[in-house]
Amino acid sequence: MIRTENLHKSFGDNHVLKGVSAEFHAGKPNLIIGSSGAGKTVLLKLLIGLFRPSEGAVFYGDTNLFSLDDKDIRSIRMKVGMLFQGNALFDSMTVGENIRFPMDMFTRLSLKDKNRRVDECLEMVNMEGINDRYPSEVSGGMQKRVGIARAMVLEPKYLFCDEPNSGLDPQTSILIDELICDLTNRNNITTVINTHDMNSVMGIGDNILLLKNGKVAWTGDKSQVLESDNKVLEDFIFASPFLRRLREDALKQRQGG
Amino acid sequence: MLIDTFLYNFGQYILLLKSAIAKPERFSMYYKETVRQMDAIGVGSVFIVLLISVFIGMVTAVQFADQLGDSFIPSYYIGYIVRDITIIEMAPTITCLVLAGKVGSNLAAEIGGMRQKEHIDAMEIMGVNTAAYLIMPKVIAAVLVIPLLVAISAFVSIIGGYLATVLPGSISHTEYVLGLRSFFVPRYVFIMFVKAGVFAFLLTSVSCYFGYYVKGGSIELGEASTSAVVVSNVLILLFDFIIALLLT
């Protein structure tokens, strides 16, 4: 489990996070949602330790990430996988080399074993046989899957996904969500997903944290979204008239049923 | 304001170097990267170094031949002057100034591009010490390879001087060779290698620094690349003076 306590983060005069306390549980997807500028990415980067907080703490189990020195932070990061919004695949390496990179860096496995693990990871994301292709030679959705495969290669205990659905069509988005959800459940990983995709919220939102102006505006799960009377949540999730009508219909059906 | 900026950058540069000097996570990966950089910096720069070196030697020889033309100084001094001026000053300094433009801008753009595409963040999250992995192999490769390039440059410059003076008949082959063999001070070769090593360290570490901390988009990346070249060049000239003061 990952826990934050009263997290504050400022950049000069810009106070981005204003006392965020939250818990992210193992074995189910934890979603951070909110409009642009709400502080989602900053929170995610604080959770990984890419930023240091102005105030507050991030706990991995009982260990405060920011009480550790650089070397110990790196040892925690070796248990972390991350899927970046832009995938961050090394474009001078093939897909196979990208996935093998963490193993090359941190394991003493033979090349044969490493390549076998690469094949396993590609199979896990249904991308067999693209080892020798370069990231620029595969589609955006395939790059996301390769990013997930690379994040999973060292069997992480924590998985962070920054906007995993950005730039993808709705069908591919759902496939990526299902894949992340499946890997999380199967490997009992603590997964934190930063998104503003409504399909993800309603599909895999087992623990949702809504941010507004750097503060936690609402927490709950997907089953509570429809009936919540939280104004911030309502304005964010059901922003379009179409979704608002769908919600009203769903609520009427429930009341009728 | 200027002093603040200088102190901030200098402090950050020292901290980056401190992070870069660390035990490698996997020695073989660092070794592979160092060899790759030796190829890129060394082999990739041979042609430009040969080209500028020939001209350095030719220009030096022609100008001194002209100045010594009506004097009582023996003409074989041309070979001697070309040799010493090339070894002490021209080969290390001009070669490294040119390499700061070629290699320095390339390193700043490469690392800056990795920063902008979140490659550095991705490596950090994997647990890689990015300062060490991205900077140390480049610096080691440059410090090993650039002195060799400078030695080649000195040799080729002397040949350039020969071509520019002996072939047109300004002086004879015997005179030029006599000049080359006169008053040789081996310490000058040592100074050449000291300069080459120091300049190589400066141009790579400074360029990597500007790339590593780049923020923003393509305009900022271009600015970082330019700053890397300008600052490297100024530091090369500054340290050229300091080494000259200390070693001559």
Side-chain angles (χ1 to χ4, degrees):
Chain A
M1 187 182 78
I2 302 173
R3 185 164 54 87
T4 69
E5 260 181 28
N6 192 33
L7 267 187
H8 287 260
K9 179 66 186 173
S10 301
F11 297 95
D13 296 334
N14 185 13
H15 200 166
V16 181
L17 288 188
K18 301 161 186 163
V20 174
S21 298
E23 286 186 357
F24 303 98
H25 305 285
K28 57 183 179 184
N30 301 273
L31 269 57
I32 303 171
I33 61 171
S35 50
S36 301
K40 301 189 298 291
T41 301
V42 173
L43 177 57
L44 199 73
K45 289 194 172 180
L46 282 166
L47 291 177
I48 313 161
L50 285 178
F51 289 158
R52 290 191 83 83
S54 310
E55 199 184 319
V58 173
F59 291 93
Y60 279 67
D62 295 326
T63 310
N64 180 358
L65 185 66
F66 298 107
S67 66
L68 304 174
D69 60 19
D70 284 353
K71 197 178 160 198
D72 290 332
I73 287 181
R74 275 190 208 110
S75 68
I76 284 201
R77 283 192 183 144
M78 286 168 67
K79 298 174 197 159
V80 168
M82 169 115 187
L83 175 63
F84 283 84
Q85 187 172 359
N87 305 316
L89 297 174
F90 308 133
D91 31 25
S92 58
M93 295 181 190
T94 62
V95 164
E97 287 166 345
N98 261 284
I99 299 171
R100 208 177 64 206
F101 182 82
M103 289 190 286
D104 286 339
M105 213 48 154
F106 297 110
T107 70
R108 291 185 183 280
L109 295 172
S110 67
L111 185 63
K112 194 178 161 194
D113 288 340
K114 283 187 240 180
N115 285 338
R116 191 183 304 133
R117 177 69 185 146
V118 169
D119 290 340
E120 279 171 18
C121 288
L122 282 173
E123 198 183 319
M124 192 162 64
V125 296
N126 301 319
M127 282 288 119
E128 301 95 324
I130 61 162
N131 307 44
D132 296 331
R133 286 160 78 175
Y134 283 89
S136 59
E137 295 171 347
V138 299
S139 71
M142 288 162 90
Q143 285 183 19
K144 290 275 180 207
R145 285 164 184 253
V146 173
I148 294 172
R150 189 178 67 180
M152 295 299 296
V153 74
L154 292 181
E155 297 177 338
K157 286 175 71 178
Y158 308 97
L159 178 64
F160 295 91
C161 305
D162 189 13
E163 306 277 5
N165 311 108
S166 69
L168 299 181
D169 63 86
Q171 276 182 321
T172 313
S173 290
I174 291 167
L175 288 176
I176 295 289
D177 281 345
E178 285 172 353
L179 181 63
I180 293 171
C181 198
D182 180 47
L183 291 171
T184 303
N185 295 332
R186 209 166 354 128
N187 301 298
N188 197 35
I189 300 170
T190 304
T191 299
V192 182
I193 302 169
N194 179 356
T195 185
H196 47 224
D197 185 280
M198 289 313 108
N199 287 327
S200 302
V201 174
M202 301 310 287
I204 59 167
D206 288 342
N207 179 29
I208 302 168
L209 179 82
L210 172 65
L211 288 183
K212 177 158 179 161
N213 298 329
K215 289 181 180 168
V216 178
W218 183 84
T219 54
D221 64 47
K222 61 189 175 193
S223 67
Q224 298 169 312
V225 169
L226 271 182
E227 288 169 359
S228 169
D229 55 2
N230 184 296
K231 186 78 176 72
V232 179
L233 181 74
E234 200 174 304
D235 288 347
F236 177 69
I237 303 263
F238 305 106
S240 76
F242 174 70
L243 287 174
R244 218 164 270 203
R245 266 203 307 278
L246 277 182
R247 183 198 185 208
E248 282 162 13
D249 291 347
L251 286 175
K252 270 181 203 165
Q253 268 186 353
R254 278 194 189 183
Q255 281 159 5
Chain B
M1 186 65 190
L2 198 66
I3 293 174
D4 282 357
T5 311
F6 168 75
L7 288 177
Y8 174 79
N9 280 297
F10 182 68
Q12 211 174 19
Y13 170 72
I14 296 294
L15 289 175
L16 182 68
L17 288 185
K18 190 175 154 235
S19 309
I21 300 167
K23 190 180 168 214
E25 293 89 356
R26 178 72 56 235
F27 182 79
S28 59
M29 290 291 282
Y30 280 64
Y31 174 74
K32 256 190 246 172
E33 183 60 15
T34 306
V35 171
R36 192 179 75 83
Q37 291 298 335
M38 284 170 79
D39 179 52
I41 296 170
V43 180
S45 305
V46 167
F47 178 72
I48 184 77
V49 168
L50 291 179
L51 194 67
I52 59 159
S53 303
V54 164
F55 284 111
I56 288 170
M58 286 164 70
V59 171
T60 310
V62 167
Q63 290 189 342
F64 275 103
D66 181 53
Q67 287 178 358
L68 300 183
D70 297 330
S71 70
F72 291 109
I73 299 170
S75 51
Y76 76 86
Y77 263 57
I78 292 168
Y80 156 60
I81 289 168
V82 168
R83 184 200 67 207
D84 275 6
I85 215 163
T86 296
I87 290 175
I88 300 172
E89 184 60 27
M90 291 299 193
T93 309
I94 303 288
T95 303
C96 288
L97 287 174
V98 170
L99 289 178
K102 183 188 176 293
V103 176
S105 62
N106 189 289
L107 294 180
E110 179 186 325
I111 296 182
M114 291 181 78
R115 168 68 72 196
Q116 290 181 334
K117 289 183 192 169
E118 296 182 308
H119 292 175
I120 293 181
D121 286 348
M123 284 187 189
E124 281 284 340
I125 287 161
M126 287 172 197
V128 177
N129 177 351
T130 54
Y133 181 64
L134 294 175
I135 296 173
M136 200 157 53
K138 292 177 175 63
V139 173
I140 291 172
V143 170
L144 289 175
V145 163
I146 289 180
L148 295 178
L149 287 175
V150 168
I152 293 170
S153 168
F155 182 72
V156 173
S157 289
I158 290 168
I159 294 174
Y162 179 92
L163 296 175
T165 49
V166 177
L167 289 189
S170 305
I171 58 171
S172 69
H173 165 82
T174 315
E175 283 175 311
Y176 192 82
V177 173
L178 177 65
L180 288 182
R181 298 177 64 176
S182 303
F183 320 117
F184 181 63
V185 181
R187 193 165 53 88
Y188 290 164
V189 177
F190 170 72
I191 293 173
M192 176 185 81
F193 282 121
V194 169
K195 283 187 177 181
V198 171
F199 298 165
F201 175 80
L202 286 172
L203 78 90
T204 43
S205 60
V206 167
S207 303
C208 290
Y209 166 75
F210 278 100
Y212 193 82
Y213 287 113
V214 74
K215 285 185 179 131
S218 52
I219 291 176
E220 285 78 7
L221 185 59
E223 285 171 357
S225 201
T226 307
S227 301
V229 176
V230 171
V231 175
S232 299
N233 281 345
V234 171
L235 286 175
I236 285 170
L237 294 173
L238 176 67
F239 276 80
D240 189 25
F241 174 62
I242 292 170
I243 293 168
L245 274 183
L246 294 175
L247 297 183
T248 54

